[in-house]
Amino acid sequence: MKTDIEIAQQATLKPIEQIAEQLELAEEDWEPFGRTKAKISDRLLQKLEDKPDGKVILVTSINPTPAGEGKSTVAVGLGQALNKIGKKAIIALREPSLGPVMGIKGGAAGGGYSQVLPMEEINLHFTGDLHAITAANNLLAAIIDNHIHQGNALNIDPRRIEWKRVMDMNDRSLRNIIVGLGGPKQGSPREDHFQITVASEIMAILCLAKDLEDLKERLSNIVIGYTYDEQPVQVRDLEVEGALTLLLKDAIKPNLVQTTENTPAIIHGGPFANIAHGCNSIMATKTAQKLADYVVTEAGFGADLGAEKFLDIKSRIGKIRTDAVVIVATIRALKMHGGVPKDALKEENLEALKEGVKNLQKHIETIKHFGLPFVVAINKFPTDTEQELEWVERWCLEQDIDVALTDVWGKGGEGGILLAKKVVEKAASPQTFQPIYELEDSLEAKIRKIAQIVYGAKDIELSPKAQQQIAYYEKQGWGNLPVCMAKTQYSLSDDPKKIGRPENFMIHIRELKPSVGAGFIVVLTGDVMTMPGLPKKPAALNMNVENSGKITGLF
Amino acid sequence: MKTDIEIAQQATLKPIEQIAEQLELAEEDWEPFGRTKAKISDRLLQKLEDKPDGKVILVTSINPTPAGEGKSTVAVGLGQALNKIGKKAIIALREPSLGPVMGIKGGAAGGGYSQVLPMEEINLHFTGDLHAITAANNLLAAIIDNHIHQGNALNIDPRRIEWKRVMDMNDRSLRNIIVGLGGPKQGSPREDHFQITVASEIMAILCLAKDLEDLKERLSNIVIGYTYDEQPVQVRDLEVEGALTLLLKDAIKPNLVQTTENTPAIIHGGPFANIAHGCNSIMATKTAQKLADYVVTEAGFGADLGAEKFLDIKSRIGKIRTDAVVIVATIRALKMHGGVPKDALKEENLEALKEGVKNLQKHIETIKHFGLPFVVAINKFPTDTEQELEWVERWCLEQDIDVALTDVWGKGGEGGILLAKKVVEKAASPQTFQPIYELEDSLEAKIRKIAQIVYGAKDIELSPKAQQQIAYYEKQGWGNLPVCMAKTQYSLSDDPKKIGRPENFMIHIRELKPSVGAGFIVVLTGDVMTMPGLPKKPAALNMNVENSGKITGLF
């Protein structure tokens, strides 16, 4: 059996101009970045305004486990399968961050015969979007500290600066720092923190902006901190929104690549799925809708986080209609939700499956609540037994749930044809979409609805700090923004140890953060890590590029 | 009269594939980055090994003044002029850093009708080289702190870490910081410092590497700090050279663009001219030599710093023969060296010129000492009077010095034809090149030779720390490396106020730094700023990109 990297390095990529031609792009609509990557013009969307939109298929999953669900692999495989059954499809995914690539996970975008290529490029600097976001984020930080240093005309309280510096790196030593030491010529000392670039509000903004104008408007709205009188200070007060937009003028353009089977893929934007909304960009999804009949996309973590935010935040802001949802599960992951430890996953265990499938059940209920047609995709692993696969299929059929076994890792698009056919059927069926909450609901009501309807919680518990913040935010006129929940991805509850389908639990709201530029209020349950650390043996130590140019150790 | 930005935005750029074709590049030899930028393969040099090398013309200048000398403009104009007189020429320059662009100076690469284009791209993210260097630099920093956090098997002394984090930004608050606060899970607290990316040793390495293999070797050699036993710790001890090289695999490829007159230009690498050697990359210069008959390049600051390092460091490592030197001066700058304040420069002042020309005289002596043929280029300004221009020309002729008036700012290549003709003649004349020092000289002897021969100093004065360091470095076997002087650019001495041609002064050596990866020992005279700050009104505040995509305020 070939490894991911062998499959990737043996794949024959088409020159990117062929992919662009296939999508009927004119020369003015795209720019090459190397021979196999391109950027699509941010003006194409406007140019094709009158063209009908392709259908959107959202791929989501059960709560992630260390066993792996293969959501990206299924998304890529489904796109390829749609092409195979004669549909014009594009895959629209998030772009990876360098930090985790160098840390634990190495590179990845799909797997096996369902990968997005060129892997080496996508997982390293790609077309520079994340570097542009880093630069814009840190220009803003430098402007803030310089403003204070040069007299602080805006009366910014250095103890209440919310804006943090970022780096696209896993670097725990930068989590808590003191800057501005060394005397009056070196700035004002204050406590500061670095986040990883994907946690920057600018990443969320880039992904929610409709065009360059909207990008600038959202950047202007960023609240960077507060004055000594506790009034919010925004980017527009610092007059730096023009320079920030300038730094992002190329990053806003969606990136075009292809899969192992030469299906077009747009890889653009990758905000954190906890303190941000975890979806690829609105520009990418909408551009893809103009260029294909089916757009397969995904959202971070399980349906409780990714799909909820896709449907309540991204789709609402972008006015995107979702035509069908795919809920991915694996036998292995369901068994883990049933209590099986990782080293016993190879053994057949129908009892554990029976318990673990309750996690899937909850996510199915959530998608039903949204009123969207869906298919369950069981992503096959070589260790799955016939009995286990049959049991899950039967479980679905008994409840009248459409299910498809897929083997897109091993067979590429061919392994997802059944899923593709079911998805096409579902996407043509009627739907009565409703969001979980209305924007007019109070912040507290929004949080409660998500906790109860999506997580299955008994209720929410607000800390005194959270209560105070809600009152302040509503006074500032931010009460009508959607809420972006930051919760552990491993459980439906806020306790990562509660796997399967926990019941009778409370969701504890610790703190809120205003991402007024992005256009949502972040709601933090428990601690959220926004700057990962490196493990004892970082993945970077295995990486190499040989003198021949051959890359090793990246996957 | 049109402004630089008007000229730039009105220029008609050729598609970059036309420039590539003009240079007879095959498809495998280059990759597009957008429609008007490209990267040239790092393997081209090897492929064209047997082709004869084009001649190298080094453009240098008198000590810089606030009046401006226009060294880059003359270099671009000379390249264009060589084309106009039927020679195949390429211009090889350094790439700019984002920090100063956002800080004081806005964007620039040449001026008037002698600019390198596309300006907006070159001055913002360009092809991402600086971002790649930032990422590699900071991955190394994260690996160092993680190594200590995970048990410190190498026994690294956290008080003696020389490796600093970098950011491509002017951010004074990051000059002196404390990292690793927050308790045992957040790393070990220690003092740290950010530098601007162009001050990273990795930038110097990228510019001095002969190929990918040499790049990896030099990265392995970096000394990141010392153990508790005061033994040097190198990158190879941390086993991260493979990942660093991987991050730089595209950054090492020279960037191809064009000038306002469509002359090919290779813009690659931009190390600081104080704590590094201030020249574009060896790969770029040597690649250009394979593609053209004349390569016009330049080096940072005046001939005392840039030309000395070009000839003693870059050319020695790269085995580059310099065929002729152009020494640029302006009437305005010579008058400033003669003591005229900036607001009186418009007035004719032959007395000041007579005094100021002594600065030029010293640099002429230096180039003569190197044994290289040269031409003095007087870069015309509209405020220069006929009398002044005649006086300088006569002064040159009286000493049998070749001089050419140029007006490349106002007239492009046309304004540099006389200079081009003289340069062609000089480059064909015999030379007896000798470096200022031999590698076998002791570190102290090398420093003394530069101070006496190039700066005209009486002698050097070593601080006790510097003496101690020299002894330690020679014991470590680093005594045979070239020295890289960090000195104020404004004066031949180490006191920026001593303009003109100071005499009877000492050069005070404060401290040394081993850039063992780059392959030189940095010698610091006085304080050297490696992280600039923003001014009260940063240039960024004027920048904008309109909804139409039009950029304003960048120049």
Side-chain angles (χ1 to χ4, degrees), chain A residues 231-264:
Chain A
Q231 290 309 302
V233 179
Q234 292 184 291
V235 163
R236 59 163 51 84
D237 301 320
L238 291 160
E239 298 173 43
V240 72
E241 64 272 18
L244 299 185
T245 310
L246 181 58
L247 283 170
L248 298 168
K249 75 176 179 60
D250 294 312
I252 199 182
K253 298 174 186 165
N255 306 298
L256 179 64
V257 288
Q258 62 193 291
T259 72
T260 27
E261 293 180 3
N262 312 118
T263 301

Side-chain angles (χ1 to χ4, degrees), chain B residues 153-439:
Chain B
L154 289 173
N155 199 29
I156 299 169
D157 185 346
R159 303 163 308 175
R160 288 196 171 84
I161 294 174
E162 294 282 348
W163 197 252
K164 297 177 173 65
R165 290 176 167 86
V166 299
M167 198 180 269
D168 193 15
M169 199 58 66
N170 287 12
D171 193 346
R172 77 168 62 69
S173 290
L174 293 178
R175 281 177 193 157
N176 302 293
I177 65 174
I178 294 172
V179 300
L181 296 169
K185 289 196 174 164
Q186 324 288 342
S188 302
R190 67 176 184 91
E191 193 183 331
D192 196 9
H193 311 269
F194 267 82
Q195 303 186 119
I196 189 164
T197 298
V198 289
S200 170
E201 186 178 347
I202 293 183
M203 171 59 97
I205 289 175
L206 188 94
C207 290
L208 292 172
K210 285 178 281 246
D211 53 28
L212 200 65
E213 188 175 355
D214 188 33
L215 176 72
K216 199 191 292 174
E217 178 63 22
R218 285 175 194 273
L219 290 167
S220 309
N221 290 343
I222 293 173
V223 173
I224 62 99
Y226 302 90
T227 64
Y228 282 104
D229 317 321
E230 299 190 29
Q231 291 309 301
V233 179
Q234 291 183 292
V235 163
R236 58 163 50 84
D237 302 318
L238 292 161
E239 298 173 44
V240 73
E241 64 272 19
L244 299 185
T245 310
L246 182 58
L247 283 170
L248 298 168
K249 74 176 180 59
D250 294 313
I252 199 183
K253 299 174 185 164
N255 305 299
L256 179 65
V257 289
Q258 62 193 289
T259 72
T260 27
E261 292 179 5
N262 311 117
T263 301
I266 296 182
I267 310 285
H268 192 228
F272 248 26
N274 45 37
I275 67 149
H277 62 292
C279 304
N280 74 323
S281 78
I282 284 181
M283 297 268 303
T285 303
K286 289 181 84 87
T287 300
Q289 282 184 274
K290 295 297 183 190
L291 300 175
D293 299 325
Y294 291 86
V295 178
V296 182
T297 189
E298 47 88 63
F301 303 144
D304 52 334
L305 287 166
E308 188 272 313
K309 294 175 186 183
F310 183 92
L311 296 166
D312 279 328
I313 301 177
K314 175 178 170 177
S315 302
R316 181 145 30 192
I317 292 175
K319 300 192 176 61
I320 295 168
R321 177 193 149 104
T322 303
D323 296 276
V325 176
V326 174
I327 308 174
V328 180
T330 55
I331 299 292
R332 294 159 55 87
L334 291 174
K335 284 194 287 190
M336 279 201 97
H337 274 296
V340 176
K342 204 178 169 187
D343 51 14
L345 284 176
K346 285 182 185 167
E347 294 153 34
E348 184 175 279
N349 191 332
L350 293 173
E351 280 313 300
L353 207 49
K354 213 162 147 180
E355 190 56 32
V357 85
K358 292 179 185 167
N359 185 273
L360 173 60
Q361 174 73 46
K362 178 70 196 88
H363 295 296
I364 288 172
E365 289 169 19
T366 298
I367 300 303
K368 278 185 177 166
H369 184 95
F370 276 113
L372 293 175
F374 65 93
V375 183
V376 169
I378 302 296
N379 182 24
K380 268 181 77 176
F381 264 71
T383 51
D384 301 344
T385 70
E386 280 304 311
Q387 295 258 28
E388 289 173 326
L389 290 167
E390 266 169 36
W391 188 91
V392 176
E393 275 194 290
R394 206 177 328 116
W395 178 87
C396 288
L397 295 177
E398 276 167 13
Q399 298 177 78
D400 209 18
I401 289 168
D402 263 300
V403 61
L405 280 187
T406 65
D407 187 7
V408 292
W409 192 97
K411 295 185 181 154
E414 197 62 43
I417 285 182
L418 178 63
L419 175 64
K421 285 182 179 162
K422 293 201 174 187
V423 161
V424 167
E425 198 187 304
K426 288 290 173 189
S429 65
Q431 59 162 270
T432 50
F433 176 76
Q434 58 166 352
I436 298 293
Y437 55 84
E438 298 304 325
L439 293 180

Side-chain angles (χ1 to χ4, degrees), chain B residues 356-547:
Chain B
V357 85
K358 292 179 185 167
N359 185 273
L360 173 60
Q361 174 73 46
K362 178 70 196 88
H363 295 296
I364 288 172
E365 289 169 19
T366 298
I367 300 303
K368 278 185 177 166
H369 184 95
F370 276 113
L372 293 175
F374 65 93
V375 183
V376 169
I378 302 296
N379 182 24
K380 268 181 77 176
F381 264 71
T383 51
D384 301 344
T385 70
E386 280 304 311
Q387 295 258 28
E388 289 173 326
L389 290 167
E390 266 169 36
W391 188 91
V392 176
E393 275 194 290
R394 206 177 328 116
W395 178 87
C396 288
L397 295 177
E398 276 167 13
Q399 298 177 78
D400 209 18
I401 289 168
D402 263 300
V403 61
L405 280 187
T406 65
D407 187 7
V408 292
W409 192 97
K411 295 185 181 154
E414 197 62 43
I417 285 182
L418 178 63
L419 175 64
K421 285 182 179 162
K422 293 201 174 187
V423 161
V424 167
E425 198 187 304
K426 288 290 173 189
S429 65
Q431 59 162 270
T432 50
F433 176 76
Q434 58 166 352
I436 298 293
Y437 55 84
E438 298 304 325
L439 293 180
E440 295 69 33
D441 291 343
S442 70
L443 290 173
E444 188 176 334
K446 288 175 198 166
I447 301 168
R448 179 169 290 113
K449 284 184 179 175
I450 295 171
Q452 293 179 334
I453 302 171
V454 180
Y455 308 160
K458 220 168 90 183
D459 202 355
I460 59 171
E461 211 169 78
L462 297 165
S463 74
K465 184 171 185 180
Q467 288 175 25
Q468 220 180 337
Q469 288 177 311
I470 286 178
Y472 180 85
Y473 292 0
E474 292 187 337
K475 210 180 95 191
Q476 292 296 334
W478 306 335
N480 281 348
L481 294 175
V483 295
C484 180
M485 302 296 290
K487 180 182 72 66
T488 176
Q489 65 266 39
Y490 299 113
S491 172
L492 283 157
S493 77
D494 58 11
D495 175 0
K497 291 190 202 80
K498 290 186 177 147
I499 50 172
R501 181 178 187 165
E503 278 175 351
N504 267 319
F505 60 90
M506 300 291 283
I507 291 285
H508 306 87
I509 311 300
R510 189 169 57 85
E511 195 184 343
L512 285 79
K513 275 190 186 304
S515 285
V516 181
F520 53 67
I521 301 294
V522 182
V523 178
L524 299 152
T525 69
D527 278 330
V528 172
M529 170 75 72
T530 56
M531 173 52 99
L534 289 171
K536 186 146 187 154
K537 292 248 173 249
L541 304 195
N542 300 321
M543 295 178 189
N544 197 15
V545 47
E546 296 172 6
N547 299 335

